[in-house]
Amino acid sequence: MTKLPKNVDLLIPSLPTPLILIENEITRAADVTLYIKRDDLIHDTVSGNKWRKLKYNLLDAKDKGFQSLLTFGGAYSNHLYAVAAAGAGMGFGTIGIVRGEDHEIRETATIQFCKDRGMVIHYVSRAEYKNRNDEEYVEKISSLYGSPYVIPEGGTTALALPGVQEMVEETRQQLGFSPDYFSVAAGTGGTAAGILSAGEKVLAFAALKGGSFLENDILKLSGNIKEAGQLSLFTDYHFGGYAKWNYELLHFIKDFKVAHRIQLEQVYTAKMLYGLYDLLISKYFPAGTTIVAVHTGGLQGLLPDLVDV
Ligand SMILES: *Cc1c(COP(=O)(O)O)cnc(C)c1O
């Protein structure tokens, strides 16, 4: 394994992340208090929920003396990006198993960044990638790289929960009480599960099509099936599917930035806030409800067209 640049400062987070009050016609008409928890500001490259979810996984890998990390992701994955940056910062070698057929492999900016940080990229077909959670398969592919510490897609493991719980605790301290709901975008559901496991109610907005499976995944991950009443999963705000978007969503991102000086991205956070605004408009919540929407970061994957608007 090549020696990687060691930059310990890289992992020093900006904590606690700001909690920002969002006020506009929609929140006023709904008589709801809305905050945004700015986890996008945790760190330049290991941002948002990826930092929260990776923290205890990486400390575990260090404690156990592992030299390298192996993980899974797509060619635009925020998780892959975060693992490459955090791994380099903490002196681990990193290996990324990336979904992509030979004919469609393009070096995305995300993959370029990962390679620059020393990540070894191993492309596999879509069919093969489907095995990413199969124990035997994981053993086989990781054995090609010695014995790396394996982190599943999205960093969603039991060790992701305590990191997310720290975000919840930080928020409670900032507010002085627990909000009625935390609102979050869901991909694997690890972040939603972490919030539930901290004993809070969650509004989870699936970022992908056909996301109803997330209900089970989230409840299983959070380790307590009794928490079913605490989770409200919304599956109709995927805008066509994972990483799909339309101009309405892009306009929403632009308008939100003009109004609040906060940048959202089109894969997760804009879909969540769009869905949340829709619920506010339809008077889904009783007057006086307090909601904390979590800005889970992901701005490395912002559409280039949106960077300067
Ligand atoms: C990965 C990601 C999510 C999804 O988090 P899960 O824990 O997988 O549900 C949400 N928002 C952003 C910005 C992400 O990068």
Side-chain angles (χ1 to χ4, degrees), residues 41-61:
L41 300 176
I42 286 187
H43 190 273
D44 278 356
T45 51
V46 190
S47 94
N49 64 340
K50 298 306 182 285
W51 193 92
R52 302 281 188 186
K53 293 200 290 179
L54 282 171
K55 178 178 173 185
Y56 289 101
N57 280 295
L58 298 185
L59 291 175
D60 186 50

Side-chain angles (χ1 to χ4, degrees), residues 2-302:
T2 47
K3 191 100 179 86
L4 293 165
K6 234 185 178 137
N7 176 1
V8 191
D9 285 352
L10 191 73
L11 288 189
I12 294 177
S14 300
L15 292 174
T17 59
L19 187 68
I20 305 291
L21 182 66
I22 299 291
E23 274 187 300
N24 53 45
E25 292 115 74
I26 292 173
T27 61
R28 276 191 287 272
D31 198 6
V32 156
T33 307
L34 174 63
Y35 293 93
I36 297 211
K37 178 67 170 158
R38 295 292 307 274
D39 264 17
D40 56 312
L41 300 176
I42 286 187
H43 190 273
D44 278 356
T45 51
V46 190
S47 94
N49 64 340
K50 298 306 182 285
W51 193 92
R52 302 281 188 186
K53 293 200 290 179
L54 282 171
K55 178 178 173 185
Y56 289 101
N57 280 295
L58 298 185
L59 291 175
D60 186 50
K62 262 277 174 272
D63 277 355
K64 291 179 174 156
F66 282 88
Q67 308 279 305
S68 61
L69 311 169
L70 179 142
T71 195
F72 299 84
Y76 298 89
S77 163
N78 295 330
H79 166 70
L80 212 62
Y81 188 97
V83 169
M90 289 177 73
F92 290 110
T94 57
I95 302 113
I97 309 300
V98 179
R99 179 185 55 219
E101 308 286 351
D102 280 344
H103 65 270
E104 65 177 22
I105 289 173
R106 277 180 299 143
E107 198 87 320
T108 62
T110 303
I111 296 298
Q112 195 54 59
F113 173 92
C114 292
K115 284 187 168 173
D116 289 348
R117 297 289 166 130
M119 183 176 261
V120 174
I121 300 292
H122 178 140
Y123 286 104
V124 299
S125 69
R126 267 163 211 283
E128 184 172 339
Y129 191 80
K130 287 208 169 81
N131 300 321
R132 65 191 176 279
N133 293 321
D134 179 88
E135 218 171 295
E136 241 168 79
Y137 172 74
V138 170
E139 204 155 293
K140 197 175 109 212
I141 197 151
S142 58
S143 71
L144 299 175
Y145 296 99
S147 44
Y149 186 87
V150 176
I151 301 174
E153 186 180 62
T156 294
T157 68
L159 287 174
L161 303 183
V164 176
Q165 288 162 8
E166 289 176 355
M167 182 279 292
V168 170
E169 184 49 33
E170 231 177 81
T171 307
R172 286 182 189 132
Q173 299 220 345
Q174 288 169 314
L175 277 177
F177 57 92
S178 276
D180 295 301
Y181 297 98
F182 281 82
S183 180
V184 75
T188 63
T191 309
I195 299 169
L196 276 182
S197 73
E200 299 289 347
K201 280 194 184 154
V202 178
L203 310 165
F205 293 85
L208 39 85
K209 201 150 113 182
S212 43
F213 70 91
L214 281 167
E215 176 111 19
N216 239 324
D217 284 10
I218 292 171
L219 294 175
K220 210 166 94 196
L221 273 163
S222 71
N224 191 348
I225 230 75
K226 282 203 310 259
E227 282 159 347
Q230 303 272 22
L231 172 67
S232 309
L233 175 68
F234 301 94
T235 56
D236 291 337
Y237 299 104
H238 55 71
F239 287 79
Y242 183 71
K244 300 273 193 333
W245 49 266
N246 64 19
Y247 286 100
E248 199 182 344
L249 190 67
L250 301 196
H251 280 296
F252 180 80
I253 292 172
K254 289 182 192 179
D255 292 347
F256 195 87
K257 188 165 172 184
V258 168
H260 303 294
R261 312 312 305 160
I262 296 175
Q263 180 76 63
L264 304 173
E265 47 64 59
Q266 74 285 351
V267 182
Y268 295 103
T269 48
K271 292 181 182 180
M272 179 271 287
L273 274 159
Y274 184 101
L276 184 59
Y277 273 28
D278 205 34
L279 298 180
L280 292 176
I281 291 164
S282 64
K283 299 279 193 290
Y284 179 90
F285 305 100
T289 301
T290 299
I291 303 168
V292 172
V294 186
H295 194 322
T296 41
L299 294 171
Q300 71 89 16
L302 185 65

